[in-house]
Amino acid sequence: MKKLLLLMGSFLVLLTLSACSDLCIGAECVTGESGGNSGGTEVEGVLSFTHINGEGVEVERPLYVLFEYEARDFVKYQISYLSCTCRNANVNYWQVAYVEINKNDGTLQTISFGPDGEDGHYTAGMWGDSSPTPTGHTLQDFEERYIPWLIGKSLEDFEGISVFTNESYHGVVENETQISEQDLIDDFAGSSVSTNNLIRSMKRLLEYHNENY
């Protein structure tokens, strides 16, 4: 009887493993090379972008593609990156953004730090920066005023833009292309860590998207 139970148990384990053969388990599923609509990517393909802090110090940091799904007209991404590095280690959270990029023209069509782009049923993003920021800007301010400035832009539209200012940023970097929305720049002055690194992370994701689609 015991042998029979062992045989039946072994059969069930084997059946379960074979049924889960399409599951992606482990670090190799986290991020990397695009597998189209596979939903998982190779860890060797972790992206990097040039992070800039509030004092103008630039450091290459990882940008993780946590989720990638190719639909008919656009590609859905969930990415994570470190935006602010000036906080205490115990609250140095990472941003998680849900992004949709149009396959026809390569433009950003959705950026969300909350609900996804379907019907808002799923929470696909998380705002890791302060809300409000030290200058008083909340996530809602970014969603209503700053993120719309990014929407509709392609990699070509960001050519020559790496910081959200028309002036020299701490004498380290200065845009080659002027941003026409000077009033918006003035409104978000003092929130440069969030604005600058959102530009840089989106540019890096657009590069990745153009390479694969």
Side-chain angles (χ1 to χ4, degrees), residues 11-208:
F11 176 75
L12 287 173
V13 169
L14 182 62
L15 185 64
T16 302
L17 289 175
S18 63
C20 299
S21 60
D22 291 333
L23 290 178
C24 188
I25 302 172
E28 67 272 17
C29 311
V30 175
T31 186
E33 297 297 331
S34 169
N37 55 7
S38 65
T41 46
E42 295 294 330
V43 71
E44 291 83 2
V46 173
L47 310 182
S48 67
F49 77 108
T50 307
H51 177 279
I52 187 166
N53 70 8
E55 298 176 350
V57 178
E58 294 184 316
V59 177
E60 288 297 311
R61 295 192 178 277
L63 184 151
Y64 296 98
V65 180
L66 304 175
F67 173 86
E68 178 178 350
Y69 181 85
E70 182 182 7
R72 186 188 66 180
D73 298 321
F74 60 93
V75 181
K76 303 166 68 169
Y77 295 97
Q78 187 184 38
I79 65 169
S80 182
Y81 65 97
L82 187 61
S83 177
C84 182
T85 58
C86 62
R87 296 171 294 193
N88 293 332
N90 64 326
V91 291
N92 207 16
Y93 302 118
W94 288 54
Q95 302 272 46
V96 179
Y98 171 82
V99 184
E100 292 177 359
I101 299 179
N102 190 296
K103 288 172 58 180
N104 298 313
D105 56 13
T107 59
L108 297 165
Q109 67 177 37
T110 300
I111 301 174
S112 173
F113 289 94
D116 65 5
E118 297 293 336
D119 56 4
H121 182 71
Y122 296 98
T123 302
M126 184 199 77
W127 182 253
D129 284 355
S130 304
S131 182
T133 63
T135 52
H137 290 296
T138 64
L139 171 58
Q140 184 176 356
D141 293 329
F142 281 90
E143 291 174 333
E144 294 179 353
R145 299 165 59 200
Y146 179 66
I147 290 177
W149 177 77
L150 299 166
I151 298 301
K153 286 184 169 54
S154 65
L155 187 60
E156 290 73 20
D157 294 322
F158 286 113
E159 185 68 33
I161 298 175
S162 63
V163 287
F164 197 56
T165 178
N166 287 321
E167 301 177 358
S168 174
Y169 190 71
H170 294 288
V172 175
V173 61
E174 186 170 355
N175 289 335
E176 298 176 1
T177 301
Q178 290 283 295
I179 300 171
S180 59
E181 295 83 353
Q182 184 61 50
D183 289 343
L184 187 62
I185 291 175
D186 294 339
D187 286 344
F188 280 87
S191 299
S192 60
V193 169
S194 299
T195 55
N196 292 344
N197 289 302
L198 188 49
I199 289 174
R200 291 174 176 227
S201 62
M202 290 302 110
K203 287 181 66 175
R204 183 64 188 94
L205 182 60
L206 285 166
E207 289 174 355
Y208 172 81

